[in-house]
């Protein structure tokens, strides 16, 4: 019997967990609801509740057991389901709200901290079920604790459904207004996507896509702190070296996701889906994507050079991670949620980071304009304009983009909002004062782009 | 959690902290009480900072990794030591292709 690991390797792993916040951000169980349909609403509710609570009965227990055995924290255990607009397409808005409450109580019963899939896919147009679900979103999110919602309004293949974009501008606003006492919290649980992935384990955008199996387990890794520490320790490295260091680190982080995912899916006896290679920050100092960029040599995140730094980071994370896992999917890239990242907040407060720069950054990273508080008196047209811009970036660049804006009722640019926990808090950013109304009100679809002649 | 038992039963214990009398005696004593076999051990002291790495086998013990981790880390904390107990697979996955 020989020691098969060098002491340095063992110490490095311990350091990553204890000092650099290495963790598995989430294990998310995807559950299909397609076999639950029933004309009788009561029976439908019962079937959905039973299916979720039966399938995810041991999810939290297995997650906790793995944390203890491997000594690596799993921060969140979550469930995603088939987009409700597909699973219950015959319901009206009232019925949809009732289903949201069923999802909420199922989530509470199995002990997960979020359940995603109160969703609709409307990139090409609305079904009756899609419309009913979208109308139900504000009430559903305001009256539940755990439910997360997402709506896909565009794709590279279908173009952008601008009717849906305008609708979502209104819905985001009414989500915020219904939860005005909590700084518009309901809007923090709603994501508008272009090119939404079907197997994303991260909230609020997780849903179990129609192409997914009966049940699957997807893992979201994290570890901005680990990458930040490697970058900080190598101030003299040139870009080739820097990319290589990040790749190696991403490999190690992702291997943990692979190990956890494989072990958990075997323990739960459900197929292993994907590892999502994302650098997901938390409000904890040292667990920030902005800090990585600053360690690369930028005085503050948001200054000139930030987009290039982020492009390098995002690509290196994917290259390192792709080799570490047999199946990579989801959103895979660096996240830049503003309120959840201490470095982003600092950059905003210093005036280094603006909404426009954030939009530019989303061209080269996953996912989009995420967790950004905007003034409460913003119009639905302005929100729709922001969504349209972001969706256009996703559509043209064949990537996932998303918008999760929180209009903070009664607050104006420079004020602060607090959502608490993982969602964090942030200063409110002002939007452009000129109107987008006539543009976003035209209606119809922006046609799908040509994918050759790319310039 | 049969799936975890079915894997190898080797676990890596690391102890970090200020050097003091009887660290190894304490850890190995606790392990012997629980029928845990020590396979390998290495120890270094760098500027009064104590680092010990121990590979043990839980096959002969009724103890689960999680229980061992909880016991050693809480006792370690009282002595001012940071004790980690992790399944071997963590290191195999991270450092070996």
């Amino acid at each position: 019997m020989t020691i098969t690991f060098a002491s340095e390797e063992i110490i490095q792993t311990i350091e990553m967990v204890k000092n650099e916040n290495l963790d598995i951000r989430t294990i998310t169980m995807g559950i299909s609801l397609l076999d639950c349909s029933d004309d009788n609403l009561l029976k439908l509710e019962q079937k959905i509740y039973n299916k979720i609570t039966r399938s995810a009965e041991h999810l939290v227990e297995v997650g906790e057991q793995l944390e203890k055995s491997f000594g690596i924290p799993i921060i969140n255990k979550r469930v995603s389901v088939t987009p409700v607009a597909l699973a219950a397409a015959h319901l009206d808005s009232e019925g949809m709200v009732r289903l949201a409450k069923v999802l909420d109580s199922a989530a509470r019963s199995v002990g997960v901290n979020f359940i995603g899939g109160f969703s609709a896919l409307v990139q090409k147009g609305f079904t009756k079920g899609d419309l009913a679900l979208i109308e139900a979103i504000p009430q559903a999110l305001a009256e539940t604790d755990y439910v997360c919602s997402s709506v896909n309004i565009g794709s590279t293949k279908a173009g952008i459904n601008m009717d849906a974009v305008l609708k979502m501008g209104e819905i985001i606003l009414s989500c915020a207004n219904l939860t005005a006492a909590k700084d518009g919290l309901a809007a923090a649980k709603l994501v508008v996507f272009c090119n939404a992935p079907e197997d994303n384990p991260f909230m609020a955008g997780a849903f179990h896509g129609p192409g997914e199996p009966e049940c699957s387990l997807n893992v979201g890794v994290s570890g901005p702190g680990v990458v930040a520490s490697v970058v900080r320790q190598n101030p003299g490295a040139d870009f080739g070296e820097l990319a290589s260091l990040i790749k190696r680190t991403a490999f190690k982080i992702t291997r943990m996701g692979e190990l956890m995912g494989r072990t958990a899916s075997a323990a739960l006896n459900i197929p292993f889906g994907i590892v999502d290679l994302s650098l997901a920050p938390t409000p904890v100092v040292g667990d920030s994507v902005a800090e990585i960029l600053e360690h690369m040599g930028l005085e503050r995140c948001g200054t000139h050079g930030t987009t290039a730094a982020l492009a390098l980071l995002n690509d290196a994370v994917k290259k390192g991670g792709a080799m570490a896992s047999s199946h990579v999917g989801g959103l895979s890239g660096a996240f830049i949620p503003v309120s959840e990242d201490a470095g982003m907040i600092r950059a905003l407060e210093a005036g280094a980071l603006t909404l426009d720069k954030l939009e530019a950054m989303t061209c080269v990273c996953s996912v989009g304009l995420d967790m950004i508080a905007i003034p409460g008196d913003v119009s639905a047209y302005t929100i729709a304009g922001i969504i349209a811009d972001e969706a256009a970036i996703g559509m043209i660049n064949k990537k996932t983009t998303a918008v999760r804006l929180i209009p903070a009722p009664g607050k104006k640019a420079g004020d602060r909002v607090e959502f608490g926990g993982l969602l964090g808090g942030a200063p409110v950013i002002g939007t452009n004062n000129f109107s987008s109304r006539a543009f976003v009100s035209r209606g119809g679809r922006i046609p799908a782009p040509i994918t050759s002649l790319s310039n | 959690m049969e799936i975890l038992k079915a894997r190898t039963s080797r676990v890596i214990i690391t102890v970090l902290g200020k050097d003091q009398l009887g660290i190894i005696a304490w850890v190995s004593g606790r392990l012997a009480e629980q029928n845990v076999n020590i396979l390998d051990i290495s120890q270094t002291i760098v500027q009064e900072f104590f680092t010990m790495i121990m590979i043990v086998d839980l096959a002969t013990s009724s103890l689960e990794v999680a229980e061992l981790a909880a016991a050693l880390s809480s006792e370690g904390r009282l002595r001012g030591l940071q004790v980690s107990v992790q399944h071997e697979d963590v290191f195999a996955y991270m450092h070996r292709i």
Side-chain angles (χ1 to χ4, degrees):
Chain A
M1 184 66 233
T2 53
I3 285 200
T4 45
F5 307 102
S7 317
E8 298 78 50
E9 292 174 332
I10 291 174
I11 298 298
Q12 184 188 42
T13 304
I14 306 284
E15 282 275 310
M16 282 184 184
V17 178
K18 302 272 180 200
N19 302 332
E20 296 162 3
N21 304 311
L22 172 64
D23 55 50
I24 301 298
R25 183 50 43 82
T26 179
I27 54 173
T28 303
M29 182 189 269
I31 303 169
S32 168
L33 299 183
L34 288 173
D35 60 344
C36 294
S37 69
D38 202 304
D39 284 343
N40 180 322
L41 182 54
L42 276 176
K43 276 193 188 152
L44 174 66
E45 290 178 323
Q46 198 60 48
K47 279 184 181 173
I48 289 180
Y49 182 86
N50 289 346
K51 178 137 192 203
I52 295 170
T53 49
R54 201 174 54 239
S55 309
E57 188 183 358
H58 299 297
L59 176 65
V60 172
E61 176 196 342
V62 164
E64 285 170 358
Q65 190 73 34
L66 286 182
E67 280 182 82
K68 288 179 190 147
S69 302
F70 292 131
I72 293 182
I74 301 174
I75 307 297
N76 300 300
K77 294 94 187 169
R78 293 165 170 176
V79 167
S80 66
V81 296
T82 306
V84 168
L86 289 178
H90 62 289
L91 293 185
D92 58 8
S93 288
E94 226 168 278
M96 291 293 184
V97 173
R98 280 179 59 172
L99 281 197
K101 290 180 180 169
V102 169
L103 295 181
D104 201 46
S105 57
R108 185 176 286 113
S109 151
V110 295
V112 295
N113 65 355
F114 274 129
I115 183 163
F118 196 73
S119 306
L121 311 173
V122 300
Q123 60 269 31
K124 200 77 173 281
F126 305 99
T127 63
K128 279 187 211 156
D130 293 333
L131 280 174
L133 181 122
I134 290 173
E135 290 294 344
I137 288 173
Q139 194 189 346
L141 295 185
E143 293 179 9
T144 58
D145 294 320
Y146 304 102
V147 175
C148 288
S149 175
S150 55
V151 176
N152 191 63
I153 51 82
S155 74
T156 302
K157 296 263 189 221
I160 302 172
N161 178 352
M162 288 299 291
D163 295 325
V165 168
L166 182 54
K167 184 104 213 145
M168 290 316 295
E170 292 159 7
I171 296 291
I172 288 173
L173 211 49
S174 59
C175 279
N177 288 332
L178 276 183
T179 46
K182 294 179 195 159
D183 282 341
L185 179 68
K189 297 184 285 181
L190 170 62
V191 186
V192 183
F193 272 118
C194 178
N195 289 325
E198 300 201 349
D199 51 9
N200 155 35
F202 286 101
M203 294 297 172
F207 63 87
H208 189 68
E212 294 287 302
E214 187 63 23
C215 213
S216 70
L217 194 84
N218 299 319
V219 175
V221 299
S222 180
V226 182
V227 177
S229 135
V230 170
V231 176
R232 192 184 58 235
Q233 285 159 19
N234 294 277
D238 74 6
F239 287 112
E241 247 174 280
L242 189 63
S244 171
L245 287 165
I246 296 171
K247 271 195 285 188
R248 264 183 271 163
T249 309
F251 175 85
K252 289 175 183 174
I253 296 170
T254 309
R255 289 298 281 171
M256 288 303 94
E258 178 85 359
L259 171 63
M260 292 287 197
R262 295 221 162 267
T263 316
S265 73
L268 291 162
N269 197 25
I270 59 171
F272 178 48
I274 54 100
V275 176
D276 187 321
L277 314 171
S278 286
L279 290 183
T282 63
V284 178
V285 173
D287 207 17
S288 152
V289 170
E291 281 172 27
I292 302 176
L293 306 178
E294 290 172 3
H295 289 314
M296 284 190 194
L298 300 167
E299 187 181 359
R300 273 285 171 272
C301 175
T303 188
H304 306 292
T306 300
T307 311
L310 187 57
L312 179 146
L313 172 67
N314 201 51
D315 184 62
V317 165
K318 286 183 197 173
K319 285 174 178 161
M323 185 167 164
S325 168
S326 43
H327 296 284
V328 172
L331 300 166
S332 288
F335 288 175
I336 50 170
V338 172
S339 76
E340 299 172 7
D341 187 315
M344 293 285 174
I345 294 168
R346 199 178 48 209
L348 267 181
E349 285 169 344
L353 186 60
T354 60
L355 194 57
D356 295 338
K357 189 62 180 180
L358 281 163
E359 184 182 311
M361 290 162 74
T362 65
C363 300
V364 298
C365 79
S366 82
V367 170
L369 295 172
D370 195 13
M371 290 304 291
I372 299 174
I374 54 176
D377 61 0
V378 69
S379 76
Y381 305 111
T382 296
I383 299 178
I386 296 173
I387 296 172
D389 281 344
E390 198 56 35
I393 291 171
M395 174 181 78
I396 297 291
N397 294 307
K398 305 175 203 73
K399 74 185 284 290
T400 304
T401 48
V403 171
R404 182 160 51 147
L405 297 175
I406 303 110
K411 301 271 170 90
K412 48 186 197 309
D415 291 349
R416 232 191 119 77
V417 291
E418 287 301 334
F419 306 113
L422 261 188
L423 298 174
V428 176
I429 314 183
T431 54
N432 197 309
N433 288 329
F434 295 91
S435 172
S436 322
R437 179 174 181 165
F439 177 73
V440 296
S441 305
R442 278 175 181 270
R445 279 183 285 135
I446 295 181
I450 193 162
T451 52
S452 65
L453 309 178
S454 53
N455 279 304
Chain B
M1 293 304 293
E2 272 135 31
I3 184 73
L4 289 178
K5 284 187 188 146
R7 303 178 87 98
T8 90
S9 49
R10 287 202 297 267
V11 164
I12 296 183
I13 302 174
T14 52
V15 181
L16 307 172
K18 202 171 171 347
D19 192 24
Q20 54 194 269
L21 212 63
I23 299 180
I24 294 187
W26 159 62
V27 178
S28 50
R30 282 283 175 276
L31 295 175
E33 283 168 23
Q34 300 290 346
N35 277 327
V36 177
N37 189 23
I38 299 177
L39 300 173
D40 209 333
I41 178 167
S42 86
Q43 184 222 301
T44 51
I45 295 169
V46 183
Q47 295 169 348
E48 292 184 21
F49 202 73
F50 176 91
T51 305
M52 183 196 73
I53 296 170
M54 202 182 246
I55 302 191
V56 303
D57 193 338
L58 294 191
T60 47
S61 171
S62 58
L63 216 57
E64 294 245 11
V65 187
E67 296 166 316
L68 181 65
L72 288 181
S73 64
S74 64
E75 281 184 46
R77 209 169 300 128
L78 297 178
R79 293 163 180 261
L81 297 168
Q82 179 185 311
V83 185
S84 305
V85 179
Q86 289 172 297
H87 197 275
E88 181 192 48
D89 281 354
V90 169
F91 303 93
Y93 258 73
M94 190 177 272
H95 298 289
R96 296 289 176 269
I97 299 176

